[in-house]
Amino acid sequence: MASHDAQNAYMVLAYIKSRALLEDLGGAAYFERIFSEGDIDAFSRLAPGASLEEIWKYWLGHLSASVENISGVLTVRLDAFRPEHAQRSVQDIVRLSEALVNKVTLRNRADSLARAETEVAGARERLALARQKTLEFRNKNLVIDPGARATSIGELIGKLSMERIDLVNALSTFSSSLATDAPSQRLQRTRLAAVEKQIAELRRKLTDDQGSGAVSEQLANYENLKLDEQFAERLYSIALTAYDSARQDLERQQLYLVTIVPPTLPESATYPRVVANTSLLFFALLGAWAIVALIVASIDDQMT
């Protein structure tokens, strides 16, 4: 098994050595077919009718599995009484391990997608609330964009200021040649007063500390609302991107169980070691005989 992270290999290793694998392989019936055949000697075979706990201990006695930390390669070796049984059992282990990896991967991706969906729903609600507040502000203040209104008022104040300058210049020009109460002078002063009043009213609309309807206050509130709306839109965009990424991850496999060396059919039996075992038994019996002979000789000496 090859993986970018040795932790995944240890996960599979724990599964191989667990009782869950025994149940996934088929329970007691599976192991009795392999380890309880009649031609297996009574000392080595699995006792028929053994409990799952006994089968598990027996299984660990015939299974060897280890992980190489650096590469994350998991090596599995199984001792059985027939070569085809050993090969088929290891193939079943590989199949079930791959199913486990796929299950864990699918669960992780499904959880990620569910979290992404929750984030999208929350971001959508936040964006909808921000837009609703903006709409309520516009309906309450009867204005679409306070910024555009402020620009329009500023331009109008500019035009009126130019007109006021012209009126002041006209009054100054004709003040030496015309009487103060001349009709034309009174008209100019009346027009100047009206222009100045309009300018003052427009300035109050822009900035008025006493009034709550000033454009400056509306503009500040509107900018805050737009800032909240833009922030909500950004969060919604990020949530959609994360959701799309999670959905794409759900459609592809992230972890892979790769069989570097497939289970092979043994060509020769490792056990029993006839010569070694026979020799060991001979020397053991010889040693026992020598000990018994010494004890008997010692007893005879003491009796005589």
Side-chain angles (χ1 to χ4, degrees):
M1 178 209 172
S3 174
H4 296 294
D5 190 352
Q7 183 178 0
N8 300 320
Y10 280 106
M11 175 188 67
V12 177
L13 176 63
Y15 172 68
I16 292 175
K17 292 186 175 182
S18 69
R19 293 179 54 176
L21 177 67
L22 275 62
E23 297 176 353
D24 293 341
L25 283 172
Y30 179 91
F31 293 93
E32 288 180 0
R33 287 196 304 268
I34 299 175
F35 299 108
S36 298
E37 293 183 337
D39 56 349
I40 303 174
D41 65 273
F43 297 100
S44 302
R45 69 168 174 258
L46 176 66
S51 64
L52 191 61
E53 186 71 23
E54 294 172 338
I55 295 174
W56 179 53
K57 294 179 180 178
Y58 183 90
W59 169 256
L60 293 180
H62 289 74
L63 176 71
S64 175
S66 61
V67 175
E68 207 279 320
N69 289 327
I70 298 177
S71 63
V73 174
L74 172 62
T75 303
V76 178
R77 176 178 173 174
L78 178 66
D79 296 332
F81 299 99
R82 294 182 183 276
E84 60 273 13
H85 287 169
Q87 183 186 36
R88 185 166 61 249
S89 295
V90 176
Q91 289 173 344
D92 291 339
I93 291 174
V94 173
R95 174 177 55 81
L96 292 174
S97 298
E98 184 173 7
L100 173 67
V101 170
N102 292 336
K103 180 180 179 180
V104 171
T105 303
L106 181 62
R107 175 65 180 272
N108 291 336
R109 289 177 293 176
D111 290 345
S112 297
L113 183 62
R115 288 193 297 270
E117 288 177 346
T118 303
E119 292 294 334
V120 169
R124 185 187 297 114
E125 292 179 0
R126 181 169 183 170
L127 177 59
L129 179 61
R131 289 178 174 174
Q132 179 63 29
K133 289 182 177 179
T134 302
L135 178 62
E136 292 175 356
F137 172 85
R138 288 170 174 170
N139 293 335
K140 179 181 178 180
N141 294 276
L142 302 176
V143 60
I144 299 297
D145 186 359
R149 183 184 180 188
T151 302
S152 177
I153 293 177
E155 292 176 352
L156 184 56
I157 290 176
K159 292 179 180 179
L160 291 174
S161 297
M162 295 299 298
E163 184 177 353
R164 177 181 177 281
I165 292 174
D166 292 338
L167 291 173
V168 170
N169 290 336
L171 285 172
S172 176
T173 301
F174 294 103
S175 61
S176 58
S177 58
L178 295 176
T180 304
D181 56 349
S184 61
Q185 291 293 83
R186 291 199 303 270
L187 178 61
Q188 292 286 20
R189 285 195 296 272
T190 301
R191 291 180 57 189
L192 178 60
V195 168
E196 289 178 343
K197 182 179 179 180
Q198 290 180 1
I199 291 175
E201 290 178 353
L202 291 174
R203 286 177 175 173
R204 280 196 300 272
K205 289 183 178 180
L206 281 178
T207 56
D208 187 358
D209 296 336
Q210 304 299 325
S212 60
V215 177
S216 59
E217 182 180 353
Q218 293 179 354
L219 185 59
N221 294 334
Y222 182 75
E223 287 179 348
N224 289 332
L225 292 174
K226 291 301 293 183
L227 183 61
D228 291 341
E229 184 177 344
Q230 291 172 2
F231 183 69
E233 288 177 351
R234 181 58 178 168
L235 288 181
Y236 183 61
S237 176
I238 294 174
L240 284 179
T241 302
Y243 173 79
D244 187 61
S245 178
R247 182 182 56 80
Q248 292 177 1
D249 288 342
L250 189 62
E251 297 173 355
R252 66 173 181 265
Q253 191 174 16
Q254 293 178 332
L255 297 178
Y256 296 89
L257 188 146
V258 180
T259 304
I260 299 177
V261 178
T264 57
L265 187 68
E267 296 182 357
S268 61
T270 304
Y271 300 99
R273 298 173 179 175
V274 179
V275 176
N277 292 342
T278 302
S279 300
L280 180 61
L281 178 61
F282 172 77
F283 286 111
L285 292 175
L286 181 61
W289 175 81
I291 293 173
V292 172
L294 288 174
I295 294 174
V296 173
S298 176
I299 294 175
D300 290 340
D301 291 339
Q302 291 179 2
M303 293 180 64
T304 60

